[in-house]
Amino acid sequence: MKILVISDIHANLDALEAVLEDAGSFDFLWCLGDLIGYGPDPNQCIERIRFFPDAICVLGNHDAAVARDLDLADFNFEARASLLWTKEVISADNLTYLKGLPEQAINSDVTLVHGSPRDPIWEYILFESTAIANFDHFSTRLCFTGHTHLPVCHLDSGEYGSIVSARLNQNETIIPKGRMIANPGSIGQPRDLDSRASYALYDPENLTWIQKRVEYDIKSVQQRIINYNLPKRHATRLEIGY
Ligand code: ZN
């Protein structure tokens, strides 16, 4: 079985289409939130995910900002500018879809959240210490998260507190023997100095987690960001992968 695991699309349609094509046929689609924010294609990206009726998608912090009309003070100036624009252009149907997204989903032995199982919307699992603390906050064997925009697996070796964290490169495969928190990286705004869209393929039968990267037409997304008068930094950071 092949499950396409994606996160942090951030309204980047070219990157999303490149990933869907590169992944080939798959049985299920799991999306770990942040469909919108930063990028120029919020409606198109939400509609592309809605196209898969049995896709599982959880709510990210940028999705929550629009769906729950949050105070945008928690976002930096440039992120806020894109969210304000997104609120203006989002269609009623797509807003309803975002409002219906859960903060957490559980599918057999996997918990899906955007940030962390301890704080599904906001917490970043950037350090091993944060990963260690979070293993107590989900009851399934595996937990898939997004939010950091970094493709990383945190593996529990079995003894409490002994976690190994591994940054994964293209085609690197993990077969977790014990529990694992895994992040597929970001589709629409990678932050590991690799500009290629990042995603993962999970096979629950063979228990494999395969990291994937794919190039996409960055220039076309940058042009739309400029055309819509969104902050220039959202365009420039795409080509350096930060
Ligand atoms: Zn994000």
Side-chain angles (χ1 to χ4, degrees):
M1 186 185 291
K2 186 168 159 186
I3 301 175
L4 172 58
V5 186
I6 61 175
S7 191
D8 296 277
I9 300 163
H10 284 299
N12 182 336
L13 186 64
D14 289 85
L16 176 58
E17 292 292 4
V19 164
L20 290 171
E21 193 184 328
D22 191 56
S25 66
F26 50 86
D27 299 293
F28 294 103
L29 172 63
W30 292 355
C31 175
L32 304 167
D34 274 2
L35 286 79
I36 59 167
Y38 299 121
D41 315 306
N43 284 311
Q44 295 87 338
C45 288
I46 296 170
E47 278 151 24
R48 200 68 180 92
I49 297 302
R50 289 174 61 195
F51 175 80
F52 302 96
D54 55 2
I56 298 176
C57 188
V58 293
L59 187 79
N61 56 317
H62 288 250
D63 308 320
V66 171
R68 298 179 177 176
D69 205 14
L70 298 184
D71 180 353
L72 299 182
D74 284 328
F75 293 86
N76 69 47
F77 175 75
E78 285 149 327
R80 210 183 307 154
S82 287
L83 286 168
L84 287 169
W85 175 81
T86 303
K87 282 173 136 186
E88 278 174 34
V89 301
I90 194 163
S91 74
D93 272 5
N94 288 335
L95 182 60
T96 302
Y97 175 78
L98 290 185
K99 285 181 176 174
L101 294 179
E103 290 189 7
Q104 175 189 283
I106 293 177
N107 192 289
S108 62
D109 67 347
V110 188
T111 298
L112 308 175
V113 287
H114 179 64
S116 77
R118 179 166 66 177
D119 181 355
I121 306 283
W122 291 102
E123 186 176 37
Y124 292 90
I125 303 181
L126 282 167
F127 309 106
E128 277 179 7
S129 55
T130 320
I132 290 168
N134 267 286
F135 273 96
D136 283 341
H137 292 266
F138 62 102
S139 55
T140 53
R141 198 170 73 83
L142 305 175
C143 177
F144 298 165
T145 68
H147 199 35
T148 63
H149 299 206
L150 302 170
V152 180
C153 286
H154 306 279
L155 296 145
D156 184 348
S157 63
E159 288 167 44
Y160 180 73
S162 52
I163 304 295
V164 177
S165 298
R167 285 277 182 98
L168 300 191
N169 296 312
Q170 164 84 315
N171 289 326
E172 234 176 291
T173 303
I174 296 279
I175 306 173
K177 302 265 184 285
R179 300 181 80 209
M180 175 176 80
I181 298 174
N183 187 325
S186 168
I187 286 199
Q189 194 193 80
R191 293 182 189 161
D192 58 350
L193 302 180
D194 180 338
S195 62
R196 295 174 298 173
S198 183
Y199 69 99
L201 298 172
Y202 169 59
D203 181 339
E205 284 153 355
N206 296 309
L207 287 179
T208 52
W209 172 273
I210 307 172
Q211 182 63 49
K212 305 295 283 185
R213 301 299 287 244
V214 62
E215 286 182 6
Y216 69 95
D217 187 352
I218 292 175
K219 292 241 169 323
S220 133
V221 186
Q222 289 177 317
Q223 194 55 57
R224 289 197 300 284
I225 288 173
I226 303 301
N227 290 351
Y228 294 142
N229 276 322
L230 295 169
K232 226 182 183 164
R233 179 163 178 263
H234 298 331
T236 50
R237 67 190 301 178
L238 291 179
E239 66 197 46
I240 48 172
Y242 186 70

